[in-house]
Amino acid sequence: MINNIKQAIVNKLLELYPNHTIYDEDVPQKFKTPSFLITLIEQDYNKRLNNKFKSLLSFDIAYFSDKGTTEIKNDCLEVSSSLFRGFDLVGSYRAFNKQATITDNVLHFTSYVNYSEIKNEEFVKMQEQTTNI
């Protein structure tokens, strides 16, 4: 399920920025800019009734600009406003609690995604009752 959500994030980023490189969880030593790095920060997984589960995922999308030192902040601000507007619906998942910070000339856009799942497990079912009258 997490890979499906990550793929939806990648698809949304490619829709917004088709010419940017997108990395997953790790940046190579000589990475291209402009680029995005998608990292899963935190996951909360809770059991609900029967075989139902609910999960809360927190993602960090880091943006590495290719602009000069005087233009990096403005570029990061433009990308953050674009991500705020574009990341309401990521595939079939809704992103919420969106935040953006710029640290060391890198934009960090964080958001949360909820999802629920049902595990299909084989259970012993009740047998039919026979009644003698």
Side-chain angles (χ1 to χ4, degrees), residues 102-117:
I102 300 172
T103 307
D104 295 332
N105 292 328
V106 176
L107 170 68
H108 292 277
F109 180 81
T110 57
S111 66
Y112 292 90
V113 174
N114 271 332
Y115 75 90
S116 298
E117 67 181 348

Side-chain angles (χ1 to χ4, degrees), residues 23-133:
Y23 298 104
D24 184 19
E25 296 292 336
D26 191 26
V27 177
Q29 200 166 26
K30 292 184 179 181
F31 65 96
K32 296 179 185 178
T33 56
S35 62
F36 292 97
L37 170 67
I38 302 169
T39 309
L40 176 66
I41 300 173
E42 184 179 6
Q43 179 181 13
D44 186 27
Y45 196 75
N46 296 314
K47 183 166 177 45
R48 294 167 63 189
L49 292 175
N50 293 334
N51 56 347
K52 296 178 184 175
F53 296 87
K54 183 176 182 178
S55 184
L56 174 68
L57 303 173
S58 173
F59 287 98
D60 176 31
I61 301 171
Y63 170 69
F64 301 95
S65 178
D66 63 342
K67 304 292 183 194
T69 55
T70 58
E71 300 171 333
I72 286 180
K73 295 276 189 198
N74 287 335
D75 186 35
C76 288
L77 290 173
E78 288 177 16
V79 170
S80 72
S81 64
S82 168
L83 293 178
F84 275 123
R85 292 181 187 119
F87 266 72
D88 284 335
L89 194 62
V90 180
S92 60
Y93 306 100
R94 183 159 306 280
F96 62 97
N97 285 356
K98 299 176 282 189
Q99 297 178 353
T101 58
I102 300 172
T103 307
D104 295 332
N105 292 328
V106 176
L107 170 68
H108 292 277
F109 180 81
T110 57
S111 66
Y112 292 90
V113 174
N114 271 332
Y115 75 90
S116 298
E117 67 181 348
I118 299 173
K119 286 189 178 180
N120 292 328
E121 298 176 358
E122 290 294 322
F123 292 101
V124 177
K125 296 181 180 179
M126 292 179 57
Q127 297 178 359
E128 289 186 29
Q129 180 181 0
T130 57
T131 307
N132 291 334
I133 300 180

